[in-house]
């Protein structure tokens, strides 16, 4: 959510973190326009933050920085029909430009917004 590439804290984190690096590269996120969470008003859940990478493909990075899971409604745009979490492979439906899903605490989500 801060436009900073993650680094592994310990060697066992390397597989997870390198998966994130591969997503950034595949979606060309380093060349996309970064729209930080403090310039957007997309989440109705306090402590859930969402930043966007806007390029050929729009990607949202979401994180819940609270101590408990939260249901969040994220405004992703009327043109978006489905959202896929690129880390878990899970897909979510979008209704009326809003993605509603359970955001686990301290869990990153990298979401591909698809029309």
């Amino acid at each position: 959510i801060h436009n900073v590439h993650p680094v592994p804290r310990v060697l066992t984190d390397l597989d997870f973190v390198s998966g994130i690096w591969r997503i950034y590269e595949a979606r060309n996120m380093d060349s996309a326009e970064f729209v930080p969470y403090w310039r957007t008003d997309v989440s109705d859940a306090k402590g859930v933050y969402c930043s966007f990478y806007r390029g050929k493909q729009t990607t949202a990075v979401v994180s819940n920085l609270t101590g408990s899971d939260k249901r969040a409604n994220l405004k992703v745009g009327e043109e978006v029909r489905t959202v896929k979490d690129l880390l878990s492979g899970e897909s979510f439906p979008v209704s009326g430009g809003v993605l509603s899903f359970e955001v686990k605490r301290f869990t990153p989500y990298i979401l591909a917004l698809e029309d």
Side-chain angles (χ1 to χ4, degrees), residues 9-108:
R9 290 174 292 155
V10 294
L11 192 56
T12 55
D13 290 344
L14 186 57
D15 283 341
F16 179 74
V17 172
S18 64
I20 294 172
W21 296 338
R22 283 191 291 278
I23 291 168
Y24 271 67
E25 184 176 333
R27 296 189 66 82
N28 203 21
M29 291 167 67
D30 287 328
S31 297
E33 174 195 6
F34 177 67
V35 183
Y37 64 88
W38 59 87
R39 286 191 9 219
T40 66
D41 180 26
V42 299
S43 174
D44 68 344
K46 186 173 171 75
V48 174
Y49 300 97
C50 178
S51 297
F52 292 96
Y53 290 85
R54 298 194 189 280
K56 283 186 178 181
Q57 307 164 322
T58 300
T59 307
V61 179
V62 178
S63 190
N64 172 1
L65 301 181
T66 71
S68 59
D69 297 351
K70 295 206 172 197
R71 168 133 320 254
N73 296 304
L74 303 176
K75 294 179 249 173
V76 294
E78 292 288 332
E79 70 284 357
V80 177
R81 300 288 175 242
T82 60
V83 171
K84 181 178 179 181
D85 181 9
L86 299 172
L87 292 171
S88 71
E90 186 175 5
S91 291
F92 306 99
V94 175
S95 178
V98 176
L99 164 65
S100 181
F101 75 117
E102 190 76 16
V103 184
K104 304 283 186 207
R105 66 188 184 117
F106 302 117
T107 300

